[in-house]
Amino acid sequence: MVAKPYSPSHIAAVASHYTEMRLSGAVKQHLVELLCEELDRVVPQMEEETLNQDPERKTLDDPQRSRLNYNRTRELMIDRIDNIDSVGSAAVQAGIEHVENHLSKLLRHAEDAASKDRVATIKPRHLEKAVAGLGLDDEGSEGTLEEEEETATMDFVASQSGGIVTASSLLSMARSIAKMTVTKDALEELLDTYTMVLEELEADIRKHAQLGSNPVHFIESINKMRGMMSLGWMRSMLTRAAAQAQERDGKVIDLQDIVHIDPFA
């Protein structure tokens, strides 16, 4: 039995979470076709990668990541409901997404705390700082947006003095310098680009540090490294990305605003 494709009305309902514009009937139908074509591409790939990881497996898995267990999460959610009888699949998926995002937030703050201690292992004291920073030790509620922004500002100061670049420091920098926020994809691209430029600069310095190399080039490379460590490069990238976003009438710095900038300019 061949499965029925998504209905255009269902696609429109889901699409409403991503755009405020209306979709024409032809667009809805074409989106159905495009999404089914994407499943044609991704499902065989997932199947192959699942079997590569476990040849005996009989259920399609997400080979790219480990998710919280579906059935265990559903049972835990059922234990916590009072006025309804069951928990639907969409609710379980939403619950998994929420808890995983919460885990990510806890680890990000704990990782920042460990970085400030100059250690590569997250220890109980770092997790305690993350819990305190999020306000989870105060009646079990997360901190307000203002409290999280204050934490981001603290990370930013530490980054300037210690050469550490964190996601929260970039968000703080974007607000203070570019007067914009940064999307998750743009943030990841910016951090990856920073690492790439830093590694190439380090290799360049090692190459020209040898006896007989051009001393002028060596000094220029050292000065560039100082700019990287003081986050001058990051400020420049954010300023240029904000200008790109403004040119396209964007309200946030998106991935396209980062990838179109020459990081070595």
Side-chain angles (χ1 to χ4, degrees):
M1 180 179 178
V2 178
K4 294 181 179 179
Y6 301 112
S7 70
S9 59
H10 176 63
I11 293 300
V14 175
S16 66
H17 294 287
Y18 304 105
T19 180
E20 295 180 355
M21 294 186 176
R22 298 179 62 185
L23 305 179
S24 70
V27 167
K28 295 175 188 177
Q29 184 59 48
H30 193 199
L31 284 173
V32 170
E33 296 166 1
L34 289 173
L35 294 184
C36 288
E37 288 174 4
E38 183 62 13
L39 284 175
D40 290 340
R41 184 192 69 81
V42 74
V43 171
Q45 178 181 328
M46 291 176 65
E47 181 179 30
E48 180 180 358
E49 293 176 355
T50 297
L51 292 175
N52 285 340
Q53 291 185 3
D54 182 2
E56 302 300 322
R57 192 171 184 85
K58 301 300 181 182
T59 303
L60 187 67
D61 199 4
D62 180 357
Q64 301 300 323
R65 62 176 297 186
S66 296
R67 304 301 301 260
L68 291 176
N69 182 272
Y70 180 94
N71 289 331
R72 181 61 55 82
T73 303
R74 180 174 180 273
E75 291 171 1
L76 289 168
M77 293 176 71
I78 289 174
D79 285 346
R80 286 157 175 79
I81 58 177
D82 294 321
N83 300 316
I84 53 180
D85 298 329
S86 186
V87 176
S89 175
V92 177
Q93 292 173 12
I96 289 173
E97 192 71 28
H98 179 86
V99 176
E100 287 181 344
N101 286 337
H102 184 63
L103 172 64
S104 173
K105 188 184 297 183
L106 281 169
L107 291 176
R108 174 168 58 83
H109 282 73
E111 186 180 61
D112 289 349
S115 296
K116 292 172 186 176
D117 283 352
R118 309 290 185 178
V119 297
T121 301
I122 294 175
K123 299 184 178 180
R125 66 176 183 272
H126 303 135
L127 186 56
E128 289 172 5
K129 289 181 180 179
V131 170
L134 292 172
L136 300 177
D137 55 353
D138 181 15
E139 297 182 358
S141 61
E142 292 194 19
T144 64
L145 180 60
E146 290 76 16
E147 290 171 339
E148 290 193 28
E149 289 181 348
E150 182 179 352
T151 302
T153 303
M154 292 171 62
D155 289 341
F156 176 42
V157 173
S159 299
Q160 285 182 306
S161 61
I164 301 169
V165 180
T166 64
S168 54
S169 72
L170 289 185
L171 288 173
S172 177
M173 192 184 299
R175 294 189 187 102
S176 62
I177 295 175
K179 307 302 181 185
M180 287 184 177
T181 189
V182 187
T183 66
K184 179 182 177 182
D185 289 341
L187 200 63
E188 292 176 352
E189 180 68 22
L190 194 55
L191 286 170
D192 288 344
T193 304
Y194 176 85
T195 302
M196 176 196 70
V197 174
L198 194 61
E199 289 175 348
E200 293 198 14
L201 191 53
E202 287 176 343
D204 188 62
I205 289 174
R206 293 179 186 275
K207 176 182 177 182
H208 289 88
Q210 299 174 0
L211 198 62
S213 295
N214 184 348
V216 175
H217 184 91
F218 177 72
I219 293 171
E220 289 177 350
S221 297
I222 291 294
N223 288 334
K224 288 180 181 178
M225 178 62 79
R226 287 173 179 166
M228 295 290 292
M229 299 309 293
S230 66
L231 302 186
W233 177 91
M234 198 68 75
R235 292 189 189 91
S236 174
M237 286 288 289
L238 283 170
T239 301
R240 292 154 67 191
Q244 293 258 24
Q246 290 171 355
E247 287 181 5
R248 62 177 179 80
D249 295 328
K251 302 300 183 183
V252 299
I253 295 174
D254 206 347
L255 178 62
Q256 59 184 308
D257 302 314
I258 301 297
V259 298
H260 292 153
I261 299 177
D262 181 1
F264 299 98

